[in-house]
Amino acid sequence: MSTALEQALDLCDRAVSLAPSRATEIGVVRQRAQGPLRVALAGRVKAGKSTLLNALVGERLAATDAGECTRIVTWFQDGSGYDVQALLSDGSRVAIPFRRVDGALQLQLDGLDADQVTRLEVTWPSARLRSITLIDTPGLASLDDRNSLRTREFLAMGEDRPADADAVIYLMRHLHRADAEFLGAFLDRSVSASSPVNAVAVLARADEIGACRLDAMTSAARIASRYQADPVLRSLCTHVTAMAGLLAETGLTLREDEANALRTLAQTPSAELDAMLLSVDAFCEPASSELTVEMRRALLERLGLYGLRLVVQELVAARAGTATELSRVLLAASGLDALRALIDGHFLPRAQTLKARSALAALRDVARSLAADDPAGARALDAEIERVEAAIPDFAELRTTHLVLSGAVILSAAETAEVELACTPGATDSTRLGIDEGSTAEVRRQAALLAVGRWRTRASDPLNDSATNEVCETMARTFEGIYAAAV
Amino acid sequence: MTSLAEADAPFRPVADAVLAVAAVASELGRDDLAGRLRIAVARLTRPTTIVCVVGEFKQGKSSLVNAIVGESICPVDDDLATSALTLLRYGDERRVEVRRTVGQESLVESSSVEDLGDWVSEAGNPGNAKGVERVDVAVPNSLLAKGIAFVDTPGMGSLGAGHAAATLAFLPFADALVFVSDASAELSAPELEFLQRARELCPTVLFALTKTDLHASWRRVADLNAGHLSHADVELVPLPVSSQLRTLAVARSDETLNRSSGFPALYGELSGRVLRPAKQLAARRAVDEAQAGATQLETTLRSELSALTDPEAAAQTASQAAAVAARLEHLRGPGARWSVLVGDRVVDLTNDVTFVFRGRMRQITRDLETEIENLKTGKDWDELARSLQTQVAEAVTTAFTAIAAGAQSTREDVVDLLAEETLVLNAVEQTGLPFDVQSLWSGHSLDPQGSKAGRALGTTLSGLRGAQSGIIMFGMMARFLPAGVGALLMTNPVTLGLGVAFGGMQIRDAQSRKVAQRRQQARAHVRQFVDDVQFEVGNAMSEALRAVQRSIRDEFTDRVGELQRTYADASRQATEAATRGADDAARRTAEVTASLDAIAAARAPLAAALAGASA
Ligand SMILES: Nc1nc2c(ncn2[C@@H]2O[C@H](COP(=O)(O)OP(=O)(O)OP(=O)(O)O)[C@@H](O)[C@H]2O)c(=O)[nH]1
Ligand SMILES: Nc1nc2c(ncn2[C@@H]2O[C@H](COP(=O)(O)OP(=O)(O)OP(=O)(O)O)[C@@H](O)[C@H]2O)c(=O)[nH]1
Ligand SMILES: [Mg+2]
Ligand SMILES: [Mg+2]
């Protein structure tokens, strides 16, 4: 049996013959489905989205600033050469001149009216962008309504149109009502389009949540796990991880001159050093160190007060010295590994399904636009999409996982564990059955048969609501599939 | 910029002058008058101004309160901390009182500062499950002794909803608001929206930009915020502060560190914009009372003096004064016209306020039921629940402001009625005795402009602040609102799972039976909620109205009592004067003249002292 993505691509080919007038659009849908997974970084203004994006790429590509900064949705994608283009609302493209200053990418956007730009596309050869395209978005709840609007439009919230992103990394600094609202709305659309588990939350600028004390990251991790257990958040997304994007960004891009300056700083007599690290103003007090004030300001911007306190502590204790060692200290503290593990373990295995889902949603959009000039073609296309969607078990499993993990359907702990296992993307059938790896086909068949019986019985419980029934039916079908494969 | 200590200076002469009058009153055996003046002076030394500290969660509100008072009292945490209101004020000894509702019962329990976290923090009292309405913390703290009470509030914007609505509802009763936003980012749209709304409800707003020790770009953020504020026509300047540095500065007694904490500027604002106006009002009242008290003392002495100098007329003076005293005795009784008026007006007020409130609640219910019919997604339901909270909180605020304003105008009418009595009394007496009764009541008027202007106040809020009733009303609101908010919380769509349920089913696609069922459920929730609120508010309103009636009756009964004593004394002294021998009379005349001189001397500096304090 072909995968969800293959079926979606097939559907694209058939769609062209059903709606030849829309061949170009369908071509774009097909191309996207074959490309990398598109993951958007979203959150309130100044949540640290651009900084985190840079950390994920390992290069300073997105502009960051203390004042409101990102105003245009920007795609960062892998490619063979370096190129930046603006896609304008009239469909045309213009090349954007750019240069690098101290390792940071700077775009010359002068004369470009943000309202006229649909998005920027930065093409950058990078191994990190090979499997995912990252999308930076303007902050939500911004004082400049137009910026928030751009993000909402991009994520197609409150519109009958598919989102351009397959998944979202949502940055928050504590769970604000606006955050829950956003996630709820994103989820609303996802579920109506019959799926997924496509959001993870990041407790961002985690070093500041613990007031930059040396135990700040531990404190933030504790808060993240509390959120992860919170039923409200759990119903909106399944994972929350704490992360200091700035530390990761700097850890990955630390320069030799910066490491030098940090070593000089650590030489300062301890009483003076303590006084310097008391506050950002004390740190920049001209008389307190031989480092130039400019250098100190730059260090503050790159590391933050927590990063400085941490690095100084490690340098003074002689646990780190070289730039490489300092980088390692920063990365270890940043929480980047945990986020990467989430992307690798949560998004990427589902990438094909998520992309197939996005493609189907996009085709549905094509059908809608077709309805005006070719109603019969539109109906035929719609029916075809419907048929394919119903036939793809991955969608049903994705939806089941979502219903169960979000708490919309409440099962026993054992049942929940069974669902999670059975719906693990890319796992072997033995793993999915929860039996020993390398079990014989006969053992697998038996286990699957038992499971089918169990879920069928569970499905016939008259007290079930329709969502529970749906989950039970899907599970029964999933185990039937496993049974069939073992024959 | 003035420090808090310097800010006291102009008011000291006023306090001294009023106390001098009190001393004379004591000497002349009028401890009732002296006591009242001493209370007025205490109010001047320590006006009870209420400063609400509000903002989104985790901006450093509790830390700010702790840093201001220089003691760690309010619980602080990296995770969500404050879950209930804390009123922090001066007390001669540490005392913590927890006010809460369990079931239908209101409890007041005593606790300790150490255990505060069990009541007001998310850790000890998650989501305020213990039903805490307010915790009153009294501590012998030198800053609180200046006369500011701080209210630490739960952060707005958490999923627990309701907080913003509740906080806004309090503002009409607060003297000032300290809005807290940290330097990590510029103001967000919801923050600015809140500030704009808050400005309408509370004229004195300060903006503390916190955590300046942590954020290298705090100056940029301060500038950006100033720009946003002026763009939105909100005249406010961010005051950059660091609670962390201030706390260290206190621990180390480090003046340089203290300066860099930014707190001296914050104290300057608190002193200049919160304490000073409150003290000026208190000074005016204290001086008015001192003048009126002195007049009463003079009344007795003058009538005695006239009896001494003209024994012929003594009997007449005595009988006239006795007639006035008898008339006043009648005024003290429950049958007096003013007393009946108070009763009638409170009944009217009760009816009016209840009628308007009920009507408003009915309207809200009707509007929402229409909206529920048009409900599309779970998100819309969220929106709806929030608008329900806001509208109800506004209706409650309106009701309580109407009670406070009604109390105010009733009081003014009593003053007018008693002024008519004064004319009657004036007709009774022909002795030329000073008889400025009017000054007595208006001296105590809530409105500095006096009774007539006060009546125009009906709809404005300014007269409520700094008024004695302020803290009472604040207490009423505090007692009621969180209970309402608790109910609001229960209807929170997320908690109910209702929003999610709606969201999951895309109403337009789903089977209509299910949708109809959900709508039915939503309507039932709204109605239940409105009923609960009406019950709670109904109780709180009757309590507030009873308190209003009691306080007006008590106040005027006391005043009439004082006056009555003045005239009874006058009559007795006049009678005694007539029976004195010549030597005795001469000696007494000298004494009385000396007393009158003493009063005049005590009275003389009052006006100048007040002018100094008002400048
Ligand atoms: N201490 C600390 N600062 C951070 C962190 N991440 C970002 N920042 C700082 O926060 C500010 C905003 O970061 P950005 O990455 O530009 O935030 P953004 O969400 O992209 O902002 P907008 O695009 O304007 O909405 C910058 O000054 C960053 O240096 C972090 O993990 N720790
Ligand atoms: N360095 C530093 N940290 C601060 C300052 N003010 C607050 N914090 C820290 O910020 C965090 C939140 O402080 P709180 O005072 O609990 O904030 P809050 O606004 O009362 O929080 P909620 O009651 O939960 O809304 C704590 O970790 C404090 O230590 C400050 O001026 N400097
Ligand atoms: Mg950005
Ligand atoms: Mg707090």
Side-chain angles (χ1 to χ4, degrees), chain A residues 44-52 63-70 136-139 205-208 243-247 301 304:
Chain A
R44 293 179 87 190
V45 208
K46 300 268 73 70
K49 302 175 291 296
S50 303
T51 308
L52 181 56
T64 62
D65 186 54
E68 186 166 350
C69 177
T70 310
D136 196 9
T137 64
R205 297 176 72 166
D207 50 335
E208 292 174 344
M243 159 121 221
L246 186 65
L247 298 192
E301 209 169 284

Side-chain angles (χ1 to χ4, degrees), chain A residues 10-11 49 55 121 124 139 164 181 207 212-213 261 277 292 296 302 344-345 377 388 395 431 440 446-447 450 485:
Chain A
D10 264 5
L11 177 61
K49 302 175 291 296
E121 280 185 13
W124 208 260
D164 279 334
E181 235 167 59
D207 50 335
C212 299
R213 298 182 313 266
L277 291 174
T292 64
R296 281 183 267 163
R302 290 272 282 153
D344 292 349
V388 171
F395 286 166
T431 308
T440 62
Q446 285 306 324
L450 277 176

